[in-house]
Amino acid sequence: MIEIIGLEKSFNGQKVLSGINLRIEHGEIMAIIGRSGGGKSVLLKNIIGILKPDKGSIIIDGVDITKLRGREMDKTRQKLGVLFQGGALFDSMTAYENVAFPLKEKMKVSKKTLQEKVSKALEDVGLKGMEDKYPSEMSGGMRKRVALARTLITEPQIVLFDEPTTGLDPILLQSTHKLIRCTHETYGFTGIVISHEIPEIFDISDKVAFLYKGVIEEIGTPDEIRKSSNPMVRQFLTGSSEGPVELLCEKETRR
Amino acid sequence: MIKLLRILGGRALSLFKKMGHMLMFLLNSIYYICVPPFKFRLLLKQIRFFGNKSMIVILLTGSFTGMVMALQIYHTLSKFGSEALLGPAVALSLIRELGPVLSALMVTGRAGSALTAEIGIMRISEQIDALVSMALNPMRYLIVPNIVAAIIVFPLLAAIFDVIGIYGGYVIAVKLLGLSEGTYFSQIDTFVEWKDVRIGLYKSISFGVIVSWISCYKGYFTEETGFGAEGVSRATTDAVVMSSVLILIWDYFLGSVLL
Ligand SMILES: Nc1ncnc2c1ncn2[C@@H]1O[C@H](COP(=O)(O)OP(=O)(O)OP(=O)(O)O)[C@@H](O)[C@H]1O
Ligand SMILES: [Mg+2]
């Protein structure tokens, strides 16, 4: 279970998160949607402990990780799998080595099972035969899928996805969502999925949180969000440029 | 006046803070050097990285340094009629001084800069964050192998530099200046002591620590120098300049202490 209480974070005086409250139950998949630049990735990095919040606490399985330091934090990180927005593949390693890396370093597995698992993982994301390609030789979508395979291979208890499907074609989008769903059904992780895929993301999530202006503006099951009467949520779902949500050009003309 | 003092004080404080930060980084990596598990495969890879990158440039600069020195020192010695001492003069200055220093400077330019750029890129493309998120310590995976590799490789490269330099000097002395072959080497044998070799060894080991430490630090905290690709490029230049200056300062310091 992950519980976030009153989380605040600012960069150089610019407030990005101003009091996030969020609770993700064990085995649940929580989707986080919101504006580009709204602070979703920053929230995720706070949960991993790469960024330290200014205020508030993040409690993962009963441990407040904002109070932990370096090596103590690693115990919690053992449970974590993270898919970074940019993939964060090791560019000195091939696709195969990238996927094998966390398994090889963190768990004692025989060479044979390692090989089987990695091949299976790459096949699952539709990259069979791409084992020997380096990240610089792959397309953006391919990199994303290798990163996804690398995240899931250790079967973490908590998985954080930062836009797992951005940059993928509609077919890959569906198959990636299906993969996330299937993996979830097989070993039941607790998940947070940051996504811009509306409405597709609703199909794989148990709950949806709408992050706006540094707070969780609305939270509920996908159906509740769909039927929400909150004008901001409504505007966000329809993708209309008219409504209460501030647009970029408005700000600019006002300046 | 008070304003000036305040600015100076602020500068000094931030300088001390930075130095403390760098020192902490070094101490932290020494901790991980001493505490297992060790990553031997990565160590081998980094040894190869340093050696591979610097070998040719070491061979080139080594031979030419030896040749130039033979020419210059011969010129001086011949004024006193003591040309016979050319061999030891070349060998001693190479072993005690020029071998370690010049080879370290060359490696800084070749491998140190590449190292900073590589780690810096890993930082800005979140690869270091990815390691952290896997509960794997980036110090252990990125920094320690480089520092240990440098400690191993720097003395070896300095030794190669010395040998090539002495042979370069030999070519000039014997083939060009007509010194007898026996004198050049036998005098080296009499005058070069183990102590001289040991001083050279200490020097190159400490240069290895300096170069790998500064290069890794600058890459690891590339965001302190600037953002994105520009930050990495600035970190790289910073690392080369800083390592080179520190090499020369430390060389003077060690030289005066060990003499
Ligand atoms: N390291 C940093 N230093 C300074 N500002 C930052 C840093 N990281 C993020 N920000 C700022 O925080 C804000 C939120 O960024 P974030 O990456 O979380 O957005 P996001 O919601 O993930 O957007 P997207 O959907 O486009 O990925 C942005 O305004 C960004 O400029
Ligand atoms: Mg983001």
Side-chain angles (χ1 to χ4, degrees):
Chain A
M1 193 193 72
I2 305 172
E3 194 169 8
I4 300 166
I5 304 162
L7 188 73
E8 292 183 20
K9 176 78 188 173
S10 46
F11 293 104
N12 318 316
Q14 177 213 358
K15 205 151 214 178
V16 176
L17 304 177
S18 42
I20 300 270
N21 291 301
L22 195 62
R23 191 186 158 96
I24 299 125
E25 299 296 337
H26 186 84
E28 192 177 67
I29 294 185
M30 168 78 71
I32 297 180
I33 56 175
R35 299 290 304 274
S36 228
K40 303 182 295 300
S41 301
V42 171
L43 174 62
L44 187 106
K45 284 179 188 168
N46 274 290
I47 299 176
I48 319 165
I50 290 173
L51 290 176
K52 286 275 168 226
D54 304 332
K55 237 192 216 165
S57 45
I58 300 166
I59 298 161
I60 300 181
D61 293 342
V63 187
D64 185 353
I65 61 143
T66 55
K67 297 209 168 57
L68 299 182
R69 296 172 53 99
R71 260 161 275 154
E72 301 165 347
M73 179 68 205
D74 279 349
K75 221 177 261 169
T76 305
R77 287 197 187 114
Q78 294 286 1
K79 306 177 193 168
L80 241 54
V82 186
L83 172 63
F84 285 86
Q85 187 166 4
L89 293 179
F90 301 118
D91 47 25
S92 59
M93 298 183 193
T94 63
Y96 181 91
E97 289 164 340
N98 259 294
V99 178
F101 183 77
L103 204 58
K104 216 160 63 185
E105 297 297 328
K106 282 165 66 169
M107 293 167 195
K108 298 264 168 291
V109 288
S110 71
K111 211 160 188 179
K112 195 158 159 269
T113 34
L114 181 77
Q115 230 159 27
E116 279 167 8
K117 277 196 158 184
V118 176
S119 306
K120 169 92 178 24
L122 280 171
E123 205 181 320
D124 282 348
V125 292
L127 288 175
K128 205 177 169 189
M130 300 289 179
E131 283 86 352
D132 297 326
K133 278 209 191 298
Y134 283 92
S136 56
E137 304 169 316
M138 297 178 211
S139 77
M142 283 161 75
R143 264 178 244 158
K144 207 102 260 172
R145 284 179 285 150
V146 175
L148 180 67
R150 184 179 73 177
T151 308
L152 293 177
I153 194 152
T154 49
E155 307 192 351
Q157 298 165 33
I158 298 169
V159 193
L160 312 174
F161 304 89
D162 197 346
E163 306 194 6
T165 53
T166 309
L168 300 185
D169 64 51
I171 300 167
L172 279 172
L173 170 96
Q174 289 300 345
S175 69
T176 304
H177 277 175
K178 211 167 136 195
L179 175 68
I180 293 176
R181 195 74 244 180
C182 275
T183 332
H184 184 254
E185 271 159 22
T186 341
Y187 70 93
F189 55 78
T190 307
I192 297 180
V193 191
I194 294 171
S195 183
H196 289 299
E197 313 293 352
I198 297 168
E200 290 89 342
I201 189 67
F202 292 167
D203 301 338
I204 67 161
S205 42
D206 302 309
K207 273 205 189 130
V208 180
F210 176 57
L211 177 71
Y212 183 65
K213 287 205 164 166
V215 294
I216 301 292
E217 176 75 31
E218 180 95 9
I219 184 166
T221 61
D223 278 336
E224 283 166 359
I225 292 289
R226 268 197 202 103
K227 290 181 195 127
S228 167
S229 55
N230 187 327
M232 314 238 204
V233 180
R234 292 234 58 79
Q235 189 193 344
F236 198 76
L237 294 195
T238 52
S240 155
S241 64
E242 268 160 44
V245 174
E246 261 178 42
L247 295 179
L248 299 172
C249 53
E250 268 175 42
K251 251 192 207 162
E252 258 153 38
T253 44
R254 232 182 267 158
R255 238 194 277 158
Chain B
M1 188 62 199
I2 288 185
K3 207 172 165 193
L4 186 74
L5 273 180
R6 193 176 290 157
I7 292 173
L8 282 178
R11 282 271 166 81
L13 269 183
S14 80
L15 187 70
F16 278 125
K17 209 168 145 192
K18 250 185 205 154
M19 277 160 61
H21 194 214
M22 289 181 66
L23 211 61
M24 278 308 296
F25 184 77
L26 183 63
L27 293 180
N28 209 352
S29 34
I30 291 173
Y31 172 85
Y32 285 106
I33 290 176
C34 303
V35 178
F38 308 111
K39 300 286 153 198
F40 284 108
R41 194 174 278 248
L42 290 174
L43 175 62
L44 289 181
K45 197 176 147 222
Q46 287 322 102
I47 289 179
R48 189 165 158 238
F49 167 82
F50 276 109
N52 215 5
K53 274 232 147 47
S54 322
M55 200 56 173
I56 292 186
V57 81
I58 292 284
L59 290 178
L60 268 176
T61 48
S63 55
F64 277 93
T65 308
M67 283 153 69
V68 168
M69 289 220 320
L71 269 181
Q72 289 298 337
I73 297 179
Y74 182 82
H75 185 73
T76 317
L77 286 180
S78 66
K79 289 195 174 158
F80 310 107
S82 41
E83 294 93 336
L85 293 179
L86 180 60
V90 170
L92 279 179
S93 23
L94 275 174
I95 292 172
R96 291 176 61 113
E97 199 59 55
L98 291 175
V101 173
L102 287 182
S103 63
L105 290 177
M106 289 302 138
V107 183
T108 306
R110 282 291 284 169
S113 56
L115 190 59
T116 309
E118 196 181 323
I119 295 182
I121 287 171
M122 290 188 76
R123 166 64 75 191
I124 61 172
S125 61
E126 297 180 322
Q127 292 173 52
I128 294 184
D129 290 341
L131 268 180
V132 172
S133 80
M134 292 172 189
L136 302 173
N137 192 306
M139 295 302 271
R140 201 186 292 295
Y141 282 82
L142 292 178
I143 312 301
V144 167
N146 281 306
I147 292 182
V148 178
I151 291 176
I152 295 171
V153 168
F154 272 60
L156 289 176
L157 288 176
I160 293 171
F161 191 99
D162 294 344
V163 170
I164 287 288
I166 289 172
Y167 270 98
Y170 161 82
V171 169
I172 295 297
V174 176
K175 304 282 173 221
L176 198 73
L177 303 170
L179 211 71
S180 96
E181 195 173 323
T183 347
Y184 188 82
F185 282 115
S186 69
Q187 294 293 350
I188 291 182
D189 228 24
T190 8
F191 281 102
V192 177
E193 297 171 60
W194 269 114
K195 187 173 157 244
D196 303 313
V197 178
R198 215 163 43 227
I199 288 180
L201 182 68
Y202 291 152
K203 280 187 177 174
S204 47
I205 288 178
S206 51
F207 295 157
V209 173
I210 289 176
V211 172
S212 54
W213 167 38
I214 302 290
S215 307
C216 288
Y217 177 87
K218 285 287 171 186
Y220 200 76
F221 294 105
T222 171
E223 271 136 357
E224 280 186 357
T225 28
F227 290 104
E230 198 196 332
V232 174
S233 86
R234 209 174 311 156
T236 309
T237 1
D238 271 14
V240 172
V241 172
M242 200 162 178
S243 310
S244 310
V245 171
L246 274 182
I247 285 173
L248 293 175
I249 294 176
W250 185 249
D251 179 51
Y252 172 78
F253 180 75
L254 260 193
S256 57
V257 169
L258 286 178
L259 210 67

